[in-house]
Amino acid sequence: MRTKLARRRSEGLIPYLFLAPWMIGVLAFSAIPIFTSLYLSFTNYNFVGTPNWIGLRNYITMFTNDPQYLQSLKVTFTYVFVAVPLELAFALSLAMLLNRGISGLGMYRSLYYMPSLIGGSVAVAILWRQVFGEDGIVNQALGIFGIDMPSWIGTPSHAVWALILLKVWQFGSPMIIFLAGLKQIPNDFYEASSLDGAGRWKQFAHITLPMLTPIVLFNAIMQMISSFQAFTPAYVISEGTGGPVNSTLFYTLYLYQNGFGNFQMGYASSMAWVLFIIIGVFTWLAFQSSNKWVHYDN
Amino acid sequence: MAWWGGQARHEMMNALLDKFEEKYPYITVEREFGTENQFVEKLNTQAAGNNTPDVVQTSSFFLHDFVARNIQMDLDPLVASGEINVSDFSKEDLNGGKVDGKLYMVSFGHNITGVIYNTAIFEKAGVTLPKNNWTWDEYFNTAQQLQKYLGKDAWASEDEGGTFRGFDNFLMQRGKSMFNGKDLGFEKQDLVDWYAFWDKMRKAGVVPPASIQAEQGDKPQEQSMLARGKVAMISKSSNQLKIYQKSTQDKLAIVTYPLGAGAEKAFPLIIAGAGISPDSKHPKEAALLLNFIVNESDAATIFRGEHGPQASKKMQDVIHSSLGEPEKIEYAFVDEILPATKPYPAMPAGSTSVQKLVLTENQAVAFGNKTVEQAADDFFAQAQQILKR
């Protein structure tokens, strides 16, 4: 009896032994840093020396006395709520096109997926600087039609659009997921509706879109989360300034400027926690709203 | 040892350290390098974890901050013991490496911000070449004369209202500086005057329109408007002259930054050098290395005044005969102006964002979003908030 118990106890420990390497990794590289940053957000800390406890001061300063912070929120919200819907619409349209049984689907799929693989990279951001510059390809193309545009990245009202377009251009991964979703929709639905005289648009509105809603929700949440955290394109295109006139001052870029430019790590940590809460709230809202529009057939 | 720079500098530093190891076979120098931005981030992270490299590159821009945050140690004892020999140093180089009277940085070379200009454009336009200690009025008139020749698609000067180094020069002439401890060291009127001058330049059409200037940003030398013949004048550190000259056929030259009428003839001296970390377990070897770099002709031959003329005249003489034409122009300029320089003013933590504000608010004026007055008001409100966090 007793031996059995002892054995059971030791058996109970074995899984933890196997888990240990992973647990240590999570603690050392995720959990401890995360909670450290929470503590730092209530201090002012300049990297060296000891953090001083200042309570909620960072959080209060942010919302009451830092116009650049509010500007960074505005830029980021504009970016997320314009770029993500555009990107999803674009990804869905292309997925629909590719879903029409064309030959060489694999090739097109890979081709259209390419921008997603490279779109977030520094090299492409540098390319984008050129493309949307004063004498870039975009302006030269518009020039053919007699449209005279200033430098996109050099004009405050246009600069964020260059970044939005860069995001939309990375439509590859939602497109692939939409494509998989489209393949799941049984053909019977389309056949039955054609017999009832439904046209293309009706089919799209009443069959395709409702059947795809779970996938739209998934894509929307994933893209929203990654867009809130976008950093590289804005950093490279504005040379780390978020200019001109803070028109591309993404939240993460401003956070970086505070942490690594000013060595105000406490302030940067509190910004990071607010971003975490913002992303959490919007993800929660997306799930809450899904009861109203997402259609699960079960 | 850790330093920052481009590929050419890394190769040069490696050759230098190889030479040092050859001379002192019992010492091996570990090497860490990166770009200037990465360098500071990495160094901060290392300092937070108490594993700063023994020898750390620094400059007038970082010195006060590094000392305040205890990333550099007081070198006076090493100087007193003769391990670091600074007896051949110019007094400007010595003073520029001091904080509160103690030496923290050993100078590798010095440079002065001046106006680098394209002599070919001046000649074609028939405009007299500028002379040292010219005034803002002369600068403005010269720009207007150049513009007559340049026409529509090129400009006399870049719009430099957003450059904090220019503003530092402007303030020093008025006996002020951008920062005073954790506060601003100038009045609103100073900034209004500064922005107003550049606004006058924009209205006269002698600098590029706002969007072109914004796009130009801080592009590398070979893509700069100066190298492409799009502007005739740009203010930069004197050691940049040779780098710009590589990217253009036209002969470039350098002249002092303009002075205000009746202003004090003073220019901030920019020094690049290195210090030793207080955590260092090998301060003696670190001192040996610093001494080698700044006092041995073997080192000077490899180093070739990378950061501008070296602190020691003896070392300058080692390489002087082998200097190229642009370096000769640079050295002549720096030697003439050196006595009129002052150490670069201190910058507190948070200065990076305040310096960026100079650019942002100048752009706001350039794009017509704000008046000069509004921009100056907004600058003060935000700068004080950043420094007091």
Side-chain angles (χ1 to χ4, degrees):
Chain A
M1 184 75 198
R2 186 175 290 173
T3 52
K4 229 184 199 170
L5 256 179
R7 191 177 321 139
R8 198 174 298 163
R9 197 166 298 152
S10 69
E11 273 174 6
L13 285 175
I14 286 172
Y16 291 103
L17 202 67
F18 280 102
L19 274 174
W22 179 83
M23 288 296 284
I24 290 165
V26 164
L27 281 174
F29 298 111
S30 298
I32 293 172
I34 286 169
F35 286 104
T36 308
S37 83
L38 181 61
Y39 162 70
L40 287 178
S41 75
F42 299 105
T43 66
N44 67 14
Y45 174 56
N46 70 359
F47 261 108
V48 186
T50 43
N52 302 315
W53 185 266
I54 53 168
L56 287 169
R57 201 175 84 192
N58 288 332
Y59 292 93
I60 294 166
T61 303
M62 231 184 282
F63 288 104
T64 59
N65 199 9
D66 187 354
Q68 286 195 87
Y69 175 76
L70 300 178
Q71 168 71 11
S72 79
L73 272 178
K74 195 178 118 194
V75 171
T76 309
F77 276 108
T78 308
Y79 176 75
V80 172
F81 291 107
V82 175
V84 174
L86 277 178
E87 183 193 13
L88 293 186
F90 200 63
L92 181 56
S93 329
L94 271 163
M96 302 274 293
L97 277 176
L98 289 179
N99 197 33
R100 299 168 79 184
I102 42 171
S103 57
L105 174 69
M107 186 190 75
Y108 285 113
R109 207 169 39 192
S110 317
L111 207 63
Y112 288 141
Y113 191 70
M114 282 292 276
S116 289
L117 292 175
I118 55 171
S121 69
V122 172
V124 167
I126 291 173
L127 178 76
W128 224 247
R129 261 191 84 91
Q130 308 285 351
V131 168
F132 284 89
E134 180 79 24
D135 309 317
I137 303 171
V138 174
N139 280 0
Q140 286 180 7
L142 290 170
I144 295 169
F145 301 104
I147 304 166
D148 190 25
M149 285 289 284
S151 163
W152 287 69
I153 57 164
T155 311
S157 50
H158 295 46
V160 81
W161 282 97
L163 291 163
I164 287 171
L165 285 168
L166 179 55
K167 177 72 189 153
V168 173
W169 187 59
Q170 297 171 52
F171 56 87
S173 57
M175 177 193 79
I176 299 276
I177 298 169
F178 277 133
L179 201 52
L182 289 169
K183 297 240 183 281
Q184 297 294 320
I185 302 173
N187 239 337
D188 318 358
F189 292 3
Y190 292 109
E191 282 168 16
S193 63
S194 325
L195 289 175
D196 293 339
R200 279 258 160 103
W201 276 112
K202 270 215 155 116
Q203 287 185 332
F204 175 76
H206 294 283
I207 301 168
T208 315
L209 210 49
M211 294 293 286
L212 274 183
T213 43
I215 296 179
V216 173
L217 175 70
F218 172 81
N219 274 332
I221 288 176
M222 295 311 276
Q223 295 303 321
M224 185 179 75
I225 292 174
S226 73
S227 305
F228 268 122
Q229 301 174 5
F231 172 80
T232 311
Y235 178 81
V236 174
I237 288 172
S238 73
E239 292 175 326
T241 63
V245 203
N246 290 336
S247 60
T248 59
L249 189 66
F250 280 15
Y251 195 101
T252 48
L253 181 55
Y254 188 50
L255 189 155
Y256 167 87
Q257 287 175 358
N258 281 304
F260 291 94
N262 291 345
F263 316 133
Q264 292 169 331
M265 260 301 150
Y267 197 74
S269 298
S270 47
M271 279 187 68
W273 277 87
V274 172
L275 181 63
F276 173 70
I277 292 164
I278 290 172
I279 293 176
V281 166
F282 278 98
T283 310
W284 179 78
L285 282 175
F287 276 117
Q288 284 300 305
S289 72
S290 68
N291 303 334
K292 300 212 175 18
W293 59 276
V294 176
H295 165 87
Y296 294 104
D297 54 329
N298 41 11
Chain B
M1 171 168 189
W3 68 86
W4 73 79
Q7 192 52 35
R9 181 174 301 166
H10 301 332
E11 284 165 17
M12 188 270 305
M13 285 302 291
N14 274 323
L16 191 68
L17 296 175
D18 289 343
K19 194 86 191 163
F20 176 75
E21 288 175 347
E22 203 178 300
K23 198 170 165 178
Y24 303 96
Y26 63 95
I27 302 177
T28 311
V29 186
E30 280 182 32
R31 299 147 200 215
E32 295 179 4
F33 46 85
T35 62
E36 193 167 345
N37 292 339
Q38 293 167 337
F39 172 86
V40 180
E41 286 163 24
K42 188 172 168 184
L43 184 67
N44 273 309
T45 317
Q46 287 172 323
N50 290 334
N51 42 23
T52 322
D54 300 302
V55 180
V56 178
Q57 191 185 351
T58 177
S59 76
S60 305
F61 295 104
F62 302 135
L63 178 67
H64 291 266
D65 177 53
F66 284 3
V67 170
R69 295 191 297 123
N70 200 24
I71 299 177
Q72 307 210 262
M73 71 184 239
D74 174 6
L75 302 174
D76 283 341
L78 291 162
V79 172
S81 69
E83 286 167 273
I84 297 178
N85 172 13
V86 291
S87 55
D88 299 332
F89 274 34
S90 77
K91 69 176 195 312
E92 289 83 6
D93 280 285
L94 265 183
N95 291 337
K98 285 180 183 171
V99 176
D100 301 331
K102 292 181 186 150
L103 187 72
Y104 288 91
M105 168 171 72
V106 176
S107 165
F108 287 178
H110 51 255
N111 53 76
I112 303 166
T113 301
V115 177
I116 296 180
Y117 62 96
N118 182 326
T119 58
I121 294 180
F122 272 80
E123 276 155 27
K124 284 180 201 149
V127 179
T128 355
L129 297 181
K131 289 191 177 60
N132 283 343
N133 308 319
W134 57 335
T135 63
W136 284 108
D137 288 344
E138 287 168 338
Y139 179 74
F140 181 64
N141 293 335
T142 303
Q144 283 183 303
Q145 290 170 30
L146 287 168
Q147 202 58 46
K148 283 194 194 104
Y149 160 78
L150 289 166
K152 277 219 156 314
D153 257 342
W155 299 274
S157 155
E158 280 200 21
D159 177 351
E160 294 180 341
T163 57
F164 74 88
R165 292 191 188 194
F167 190 47
D168 281 334
N169 266 274
F170 184 80
L171 289 172
M172 187 176 266
Q173 296 167 10
R174 295 181 167 207
K176 300 174 183 175
S177 61
M178 184 130 45
F179 304 103
N180 179 5
K182 291 277 293 169
D183 227 320
L184 292 170
F186 61 98
E187 280 73 54
K188 191 188 135 187
Q189 192 55 43
D190 298 312
L191 186 61
V192 169
D193 293 347
W194 170 254
Y195 280 157
F197 175 81
W198 292 102
D199 204 42
K200 183 170 91 170
M201 294 280 279
R202 274 190 295 271
K203 292 203 167 81
V206 298
V207 296
S211 68
I212 293 184
Q213 185 62 51
E215 185 189 328
Q216 180 59 35
D218 205 11
K219 283 199 179 136
Q221 288 89 348
E222 64 274 11
Q223 295 169 26
S224 64
M225 293 200 262
L226 183 75
R228 290 186 289 125
K230 285 275 193 186
V231 299
M233 303 188 279
I234 179 178
S235 70
K236 286 285 171 191
S237 291
S238 50
N239 64 333
Q240 303 269 314
L241 176 70
K242 53 185 175 278
I243 309 173
Y244 279 97
Q245 188 62 74
K246 280 181 192 147
S247 316
T248 172
Q249 297 295 318
D250 296 346
K251 186 170 172 266
L252 303 177
I254 186 164
V255 61
T256 52
Y257 205 73
L259 294 160
E264 187 186 351
K265 206 179 112 184
F267 307 97
L269 184 69
I270 303 167
I271 293 174
I276 300 175
S277 150
D279 304 336
S280 175
K281 293 182 184 63
H282 311 282
K284 290 221 174 310
E285 288 75 10
L288 199 63
L289 174 58
L290 286 181
N291 198 52
F292 171 81
I293 294 175
V294 298
N295 287 321
E296 303 239 356
S297 44
D298 276 356
T301 320
I302 299 173
F303 201 70
R304 291 193 51 78
E306 171 78 9
H307 296 286
Q310 287 173 274
S312 145
K313 258 279 175 260
K314 269 188 198 163
M315 289 302 109
Q316 283 187 35
D317 293 339
V318 171
I319 55 169
H320 209 276
S321 55
S322 65
L323 288 178
E325 188 60 29
E327 282 100 333
K328 287 201 168 111
I329 297 174
E330 170 198 345
Y331 276 56
F333 165 78
V334 172
D335 286 350
E336 183 184 337
I337 308 304
L338 190 62
T341 59
K342 289 185 173 178
Y344 216 101
M347 298 171 201
S351 59
T352 320
S353 272
V354 177
Q355 287 160 347
K356 200 199 88 177
L357 272 183
V358 178
L359 174 73
T360 307
E361 296 301 334
N362 184 62
Q363 282 178 339
V365 177
F367 282 108
N369 306 351
K370 291 179 189 174
T371 65
V372 166
E373 291 278 335
Q374 277 170 322
D377 280 333
D378 290 352
F379 177 96
F380 267 74
Q382 292 190 58
Q384 277 156 346
Q385 176 266 116
I386 290 167
L387 294 171
K388 288 194 168 56
R389 268 179 211 160

